[in-house]
mmCIF file of all heavy atoms in Angstrom:
data_model
loop_
_atom_site.group_PDB
_atom_site.id
_atom_site.type_symbol
_atom_site.label_atom_id
_atom_site.label_comp_id
_atom_site.label_asym_id
_atom_site.label_seq_id
_atom_site.Cartn_x
_atom_site.Cartn_y
_atom_site.Cartn_z
ATOM 1 N N THR O 3 0.682 12.006 5.830
ATOM 2 C CA THR O 3 1.912 11.180 5.758
ATOM 3 C C THR O 3 1.987 10.222 6.925
ATOM 4 O O THR O 3 1.461 10.483 7.991
ATOM 5 C CB THR O 3 3.165 12.061 5.796
ATOM 6 O OG1 THR O 3 3.209 12.830 7.042
ATOM 7 C CG2 THR O 3 3.106 13.070 4.607
ATOM 8 N N HIS O 4 2.580 9.070 6.589
ATOM 9 C CA HIS O 4 2.785 8.070 7.649
ATOM 10 C C HIS O 4 4.116 7.440 7.404
ATOM 11 O O HIS O 4 4.698 7.587 6.334
ATOM 12 C CB HIS O 4 1.706 6.954 7.583
ATOM 13 C CG HIS O 4 0.343 7.403 7.962
ATOM 14 N ND1 HIS O 4 0.013 7.919 9.223
ATOM 15 C CD2 HIS O 4 -0.787 7.463 7.274
ATOM 16 C CE1 HIS O 4 -1.244 8.208 9.295
ATOM 17 N NE2 HIS O 4 -1.814 7.972 8.104
ATOM 18 N N THR O 5 4.628 6.664 8.420
ATOM 19 C CA THR O 5 5.811 5.859 8.141
ATOM 20 C C THR O 5 5.442 4.694 7.215
ATOM 21 O O THR O 5 4.286 4.320 7.016
ATOM 22 C CB THR O 5 6.324 5.259 9.485
ATOM 23 O OG1 THR O 5 5.396 4.362 10.005
ATOM 24 C CG2 THR O 5 6.616 6.338 10.458
ATOM 25 N N ALA O 6 6.435 4.111 6.633
ATOM 26 C CA ALA O 6 6.170 2.894 5.772
ATOM 27 C C ALA O 6 5.465 1.812 6.561
ATOM 28 O O ALA O 6 4.466 1.212 5.993
ATOM 29 C CB ALA O 6 7.483 2.422 5.159
ATOM 30 N N ALA O 7 5.834 1.609 7.767
ATOM 31 C CA ALA O 7 5.227 0.527 8.534
ATOM 32 C C ALA O 7 3.733 0.875 8.825
ATOM 33 O O ALA O 7 2.880 -0.001 8.830
ATOM 34 C CB ALA O 7 6.005 0.323 9.830
ATOM 35 N N GLN O 8 3.482 2.133 9.157
ATOM 36 C CA GLN O 8 2.096 2.515 9.381
ATOM 37 C C GLN O 8 1.214 2.356 8.160
ATOM 38 O O GLN O 8 0.073 1.847 8.256
ATOM 39 C CB GLN O 8 2.041 3.974 9.864
ATOM 40 C CG GLN O 8 2.532 4.184 11.260
ATOM 41 C CD GLN O 8 2.726 5.666 11.630
ATOM 42 O OE1 GLN O 8 2.956 6.551 10.725
ATOM 43 N NE2 GLN O 8 2.664 5.959 12.903
ATOM 44 N N TRP O 9 1.718 2.713 7.016
ATOM 45 C CA TRP O 9 0.973 2.560 5.796
ATOM 46 C C TRP O 9 0.772 1.023 5.584
ATOM 47 O O TRP O 9 -0.285 0.587 5.163
ATOM 48 C CB TRP O 9 1.709 3.115 4.580
ATOM 49 C CG TRP O 9 1.543 4.594 4.364
ATOM 50 C CD1 TRP O 9 2.567 5.538 4.352
ATOM 51 C CD2 TRP O 9 0.364 5.295 4.158
ATOM 52 N NE1 TRP O 9 2.021 6.731 4.090
ATOM 53 C CE2 TRP O 9 0.720 6.674 3.980
ATOM 54 C CE3 TRP O 9 -1.021 4.951 4.123
ATOM 55 C CZ2 TRP O 9 -0.241 7.700 3.749
ATOM 56 C CZ3 TRP O 9 -1.950 6.001 3.839
ATOM 57 C CH2 TRP O 9 -1.606 7.312 3.692
ATOM 58 N N GLY O 10 1.860 0.258 5.739
ATOM 59 C CA GLY O 10 1.769 -1.186 5.517
ATOM 60 C C GLY O 10 0.766 -1.848 6.456
ATOM 61 O O GLY O 10 -0.043 -2.723 6.024
ATOM 62 N N ASP O 11 0.732 -1.422 7.709
ATOM 63 C CA ASP O 11 -0.267 -1.985 8.656
ATOM 64 C C ASP O 11 -1.651 -1.628 8.273
ATOM 65 O O ASP O 11 -2.581 -2.423 8.383
ATOM 66 C CB ASP O 11 0.068 -1.469 10.093
ATOM 67 C CG ASP O 11 1.321 -2.091 10.729
ATOM 68 O OD1 ASP O 11 1.813 -3.059 10.211
ATOM 69 O OD2 ASP O 11 1.765 -1.517 11.698
ATOM 70 N N MET O 12 -1.811 -0.457 7.714
ATOM 71 C CA MET O 12 -3.150 -0.068 7.248
ATOM 72 C C MET O 12 -3.625 -0.989 6.124
ATOM 73 O O MET O 12 -4.733 -1.534 6.181
ATOM 74 C CB MET O 12 -3.103 1.354 6.739
ATOM 75 C CG MET O 12 -4.416 1.947 6.432
ATOM 76 S SD MET O 12 -4.312 3.676 5.796
ATOM 77 C CE MET O 12 -3.515 4.489 7.205
ATOM 78 N N THR O 13 -2.824 -1.263 5.126
ATOM 79 C CA THR O 13 -3.156 -2.167 4.117
ATOM 80 C C THR O 13 -3.460 -3.571 4.587
ATOM 81 O O THR O 13 -4.385 -4.212 4.206
ATOM 82 C CB THR O 13 -2.116 -2.220 2.992
ATOM 83 O OG1 THR O 13 -2.017 -0.910 2.351
ATOM 84 C CG2 THR O 13 -2.293 -3.263 2.032
ATOM 85 N N ARG O 14 -2.566 -4.025 5.470
ATOM 86 C CA ARG O 14 -2.734 -5.447 5.976
ATOM 87 C C ARG O 14 -3.981 -5.585 6.761
ATOM 88 O O ARG O 14 -4.660 -6.616 6.785
ATOM 89 C CB ARG O 14 -1.531 -5.797 6.836
ATOM 90 C CG ARG O 14 -0.324 -6.124 5.949
ATOM 91 C CD ARG O 14 0.895 -6.582 6.833
ATOM 92 N NE ARG O 14 1.504 -5.441 7.551
ATOM 93 C CZ ARG O 14 2.510 -4.783 7.054
ATOM 94 N NH1 ARG O 14 3.025 -5.013 5.840
ATOM 95 N NH2 ARG O 14 3.042 -3.781 7.772
ATOM 96 N N SER O 15 -4.438 -4.466 7.372
ATOM 97 C CA SER O 15 -5.675 -4.505 8.204
ATOM 98 C C SER O 15 -6.903 -4.691 7.393
ATOM 99 O O SER O 15 -7.983 -5.064 7.863
ATOM 100 C CB SER O 15 -5.821 -3.199 9.017
ATOM 101 O OG SER O 15 -6.233 -2.098 8.254
ATOM 102 N N TYR O 16 -6.853 -4.398 6.046
ATOM 103 C CA TYR O 16 -7.996 -4.474 5.187
ATOM 104 C C TYR O 16 -8.317 -5.865 4.761
ATOM 105 O O TYR O 16 -9.348 -6.175 4.192
ATOM 106 C CB TYR O 16 -7.837 -3.559 3.921
ATOM 107 C CG TYR O 16 -7.740 -2.097 4.329
ATOM 108 C CD1 TYR O 16 -6.841 -1.283 3.712
ATOM 109 C CD2 TYR O 16 -8.529 -1.522 5.355
ATOM 110 C CE1 TYR O 16 -6.742 0.116 4.037
ATOM 111 C CE2 TYR O 16 -8.449 -0.200 5.687
ATOM 112 C CZ TYR O 16 -7.527 0.597 5.041
ATOM 113 O OH TYR O 16 -7.398 1.926 5.369
ATOM 114 N N TYR O 17 -7.389 -6.772 4.951
ATOM 115 C CA TYR O 17 -7.590 -8.200 4.656
ATOM 116 C C TYR O 17 -6.941 -9.068 5.792
ATOM 117 O O TYR O 17 -5.927 -9.659 5.604
ATOM 118 C CB TYR O 17 -6.967 -8.614 3.348
ATOM 119 C CG TYR O 17 -7.420 -9.895 2.693
ATOM 120 C CD1 TYR O 17 -7.148 -10.228 1.423
ATOM 121 C CD2 TYR O 17 -8.160 -10.847 3.545
ATOM 122 C CE1 TYR O 17 -7.560 -11.490 0.880
ATOM 123 C CE2 TYR O 17 -8.566 -12.068 2.936
ATOM 124 C CZ TYR O 17 -8.289 -12.361 1.650
ATOM 125 O OH TYR O 17 -8.621 -13.537 1.112
ATOM 126 N N PRO O 18 -7.563 -9.038 6.921
ATOM 127 C CA PRO O 18 -6.932 -9.701 8.147
ATOM 128 C C PRO O 18 -6.694 -11.178 7.872
ATOM 129 O O PRO O 18 -7.551 -11.856 7.295
ATOM 130 C CB PRO O 18 -7.997 -9.503 9.213
ATOM 131 C CG PRO O 18 -8.842 -8.320 8.799
ATOM 132 C CD PRO O 18 -8.850 -8.403 7.251
ATOM 133 N N GLY O 19 -5.541 -11.642 8.228
ATOM 134 C CA GLY O 19 -5.197 -13.054 8.137
ATOM 135 C C GLY O 19 -4.655 -13.475 6.799
ATOM 136 O O GLY O 19 -4.264 -14.598 6.620
ATOM 137 N N TYR O 20 -4.593 -12.570 5.872
ATOM 138 C CA TYR O 20 -4.118 -12.921 4.500
ATOM 139 C C TYR O 20 -2.577 -13.084 4.573
ATOM 140 O O TYR O 20 -1.853 -12.119 5.005
ATOM 141 C CB TYR O 20 -4.524 -11.929 3.472
ATOM 142 C CG TYR O 20 -3.982 -12.292 2.072
ATOM 143 C CD1 TYR O 20 -4.572 -13.272 1.335
ATOM 144 C CD2 TYR O 20 -2.846 -11.572 1.556
ATOM 145 C CE1 TYR O 20 -4.087 -13.572 0.064
ATOM 146 C CE2 TYR O 20 -2.359 -11.860 0.330
ATOM 147 C CZ TYR O 20 -3.030 -12.897 -0.422
ATOM 148 O OH TYR O 20 -2.509 -13.252 -1.681
ATOM 149 N N ASN O 21 -2.068 -14.175 4.170
ATOM 150 C CA ASN O 21 -0.612 -14.430 4.138
ATOM 151 C C ASN O 21 -0.117 -14.847 2.823
ATOM 152 O O ASN O 21 1.007 -15.367 2.662
ATOM 153 C CB ASN O 21 -0.298 -15.525 5.190
ATOM 154 C CG ASN O 21 -0.572 -15.118 6.677
ATOM 155 O OD1 ASN O 21 -0.223 -13.989 7.028
ATOM 156 N ND2 ASN O 21 -1.281 -15.904 7.398
ATOM 157 N N GLY O 22 -0.888 -14.635 1.746
ATOM 158 C CA GLY O 22 -0.454 -15.026 0.443
ATOM 159 C C GLY O 22 0.365 -14.066 -0.291
ATOM 160 O O GLY O 22 0.812 -12.986 0.289
ATOM 161 N N THR O 23 0.590 -14.253 -1.565
ATOM 162 C CA THR O 23 1.426 -13.336 -2.385
ATOM 163 C C THR O 23 0.655 -11.991 -2.524
ATOM 164 O O THR O 23 -0.549 -11.919 -2.694
ATOM 165 C CB THR O 23 1.616 -13.955 -3.814
ATOM 166 O OG1 THR O 23 2.280 -15.205 -3.599
ATOM 167 C CG2 THR O 23 2.475 -13.028 -4.623
ATOM 168 N N ARG O 24 1.476 -10.933 -2.477
ATOM 169 C CA ARG O 24 0.900 -9.542 -2.599
ATOM 170 C C ARG O 24 1.062 -9.034 -4.039
ATOM 171 O O ARG O 24 1.937 -9.503 -4.816
ATOM 172 C CB ARG O 24 1.630 -8.610 -1.676
ATOM 173 C CG ARG O 24 1.221 -8.805 -0.219
ATOM 174 C CD ARG O 24 -0.122 -8.151 0.089
ATOM 175 N NE ARG O 24 -0.560 -8.496 1.427
ATOM 176 C CZ ARG O 24 -1.727 -7.980 1.951
ATOM 177 N NH1 ARG O 24 -2.492 -7.209 1.179
ATOM 178 N NH2 ARG O 24 -2.027 -8.221 3.228
ATOM 179 N N THR O 25 0.230 -8.140 -4.351
ATOM 180 C CA THR O 25 0.143 -7.548 -5.689
ATOM 181 C C THR O 25 1.416 -6.738 -6.054
ATOM 182 O O THR O 25 1.853 -5.911 -5.300
ATOM 183 C CB THR O 25 -1.066 -6.626 -5.834
ATOM 184 O OG1 THR O 25 -2.259 -7.339 -5.450
ATOM 185 C CG2 THR O 25 -1.297 -6.101 -7.269
ATOM 186 N N ARG O 26 2.004 -7.056 -7.181
ATOM 187 C CA ARG O 26 3.140 -6.163 -7.689
ATOM 188 C C ARG O 26 2.578 -4.827 -8.123
ATOM 189 O O ARG O 26 1.475 -4.724 -8.590
ATOM 190 C CB ARG O 26 3.820 -6.901 -8.840
ATOM 191 C CG ARG O 26 4.453 -8.249 -8.484
ATOM 192 C CD ARG O 26 4.945 -8.956 -9.724
ATOM 193 N NE ARG O 26 5.939 -8.161 -10.469
ATOM 194 C CZ ARG O 26 5.761 -7.751 -11.802
ATOM 195 N NH1 ARG O 26 4.639 -8.092 -12.433
ATOM 196 N NH2 ARG O 26 6.682 -7.074 -12.393
ATOM 197 N N MET O 27 3.377 -3.792 -7.894
ATOM 198 C CA MET O 27 2.914 -2.422 -8.141
ATOM 199 C C MET O 27 3.817 -1.632 -9.092
ATOM 200 O O MET O 27 5.040 -1.607 -8.890
ATOM 201 C CB MET O 27 2.803 -1.669 -6.801
ATOM 202 C CG MET O 27 1.880 -2.357 -5.771
ATOM 203 S SD MET O 27 0.141 -2.444 -6.294
ATOM 204 C CE MET O 27 -0.262 -0.685 -6.406
ATOM 205 N N GLN O 28 3.211 -0.955 -10.060
ATOM 206 C CA GLN O 28 3.906 0.019 -10.908
ATOM 207 C C GLN O 28 3.195 1.362 -10.697
ATOM 208 O O GLN O 28 1.992 1.456 -10.969
ATOM 209 C CB GLN O 28 3.857 -0.445 -12.414
ATOM 210 C CG GLN O 28 4.445 0.652 -13.355
ATOM 211 C CD GLN O 28 4.513 0.027 -14.754
ATOM 212 O OE1 GLN O 28 5.526 -0.418 -15.247
ATOM 213 N NE2 GLN O 28 3.341 0.005 -15.488
ATOM 214 N N ILE O 29 3.888 2.405 -10.355
ATOM 215 C CA ILE O 29 3.256 3.643 -9.884
ATOM 216 C C ILE O 29 3.874 4.879 -10.599
ATOM 217 O O ILE O 29 5.062 5.069 -10.615
ATOM 218 C CB ILE O 29 3.473 3.820 -8.326
ATOM 219 C CG1 ILE O 29 2.789 2.688 -7.566
ATOM 220 C CG2 ILE O 29 2.866 5.186 -7.881
ATOM 221 C CD1 ILE O 29 3.080 2.658 -6.088
ATOM 222 N N PHE O 30 2.968 5.623 -11.238
ATOM 223 C CA PHE O 30 3.323 6.826 -11.958
ATOM 224 C C PHE O 30 2.737 8.065 -11.231
ATOM 225 O O PHE O 30 1.625 8.019 -10.756
ATOM 226 C CB PHE O 30 2.747 6.847 -13.384
ATOM 227 C CG PHE O 30 3.305 5.765 -14.314
ATOM 228 C CD1 PHE O 30 2.730 4.539 -14.308
ATOM 229 C CD2 PHE O 30 4.334 6.060 -15.191
ATOM 230 C CE1 PHE O 30 3.184 3.558 -15.151
ATOM 231 C CE2 PHE O 30 4.808 5.092 -16.096
ATOM 232 C CZ PHE O 30 4.314 3.798 -16.046
ATOM 233 N N HIS O 31 3.521 9.122 -11.189
ATOM 234 C CA HIS O 31 2.980 10.418 -10.639
ATOM 235 C C HIS O 31 3.722 11.567 -11.228
ATOM 236 O O HIS O 31 4.933 11.501 -11.363
ATOM 237 C CB HIS O 31 3.049 10.413 -9.110
ATOM 238 C CG HIS O 31 1.893 11.070 -8.453
ATOM 239 N ND1 HIS O 31 0.858 10.399 -7.854
ATOM 240 C CD2 HIS O 31 1.561 12.385 -8.305
ATOM 241 C CE1 HIS O 31 -0.022 11.211 -7.362
ATOM 242 N NE2 HIS O 31 0.382 12.457 -7.684
ATOM 243 N N GLY O 32 3.042 12.674 -11.439
ATOM 244 C CA GLY O 32 3.606 13.891 -11.926
ATOM 245 C C GLY O 32 3.996 14.861 -10.880
ATOM 246 O O GLY O 32 3.215 15.006 -9.912
ATOM 247 N N THR O 33 5.151 15.533 -10.964
ATOM 248 C CA THR O 33 5.579 16.474 -9.919
ATOM 249 C C THR O 33 4.707 17.679 -9.867
ATOM 250 O O THR O 33 4.727 18.385 -8.871
ATOM 251 C CB THR O 33 7.040 16.846 -10.114
ATOM 252 O OG1 THR O 33 7.163 17.600 -11.404
ATOM 253 C CG2 THR O 33 7.990 15.662 -10.177
ATOM 254 N N ALA O 34 4.045 17.986 -10.992
ATOM 255 C CA ALA O 34 3.207 19.224 -11.012
ATOM 256 C C ALA O 34 1.692 18.901 -10.793
ATOM 257 O O ALA O 34 0.821 19.773 -11.143
ATOM 258 C CB ALA O 34 3.361 19.906 -12.371
ATOM 259 N N ASP O 35 1.380 17.741 -10.287
ATOM 260 C CA ASP O 35 -0.009 17.388 -10.022
ATOM 261 C C ASP O 35 -0.615 18.290 -8.958
ATOM 262 O O ASP O 35 -0.152 18.370 -7.836
ATOM 263 C CB ASP O 35 -0.054 15.914 -9.522
ATOM 264 C CG ASP O 35 -1.429 15.311 -9.650
ATOM 265 O OD1 ASP O 35 -2.447 16.037 -9.331
ATOM 266 O OD2 ASP O 35 -1.516 14.150 -9.941
ATOM 267 N N SER O 36 -1.627 18.952 -9.303
ATOM 268 C CA SER O 36 -2.364 19.913 -8.426
ATOM 269 C C SER O 36 -3.671 19.367 -7.972
ATOM 270 O O SER O 36 -4.432 20.028 -7.256
ATOM 271 C CB SER O 36 -2.525 21.258 -9.094
ATOM 272 O OG SER O 36 -3.351 21.140 -10.194
#
């Protein structure tokens, strides 16, 4: 687990200098996923 900012910084670090539009996201997950 991380804070939102820590996760966001991680993603931004994978494409340094990118300032364009970011990908829209639709996310599904099951509560009983093992």
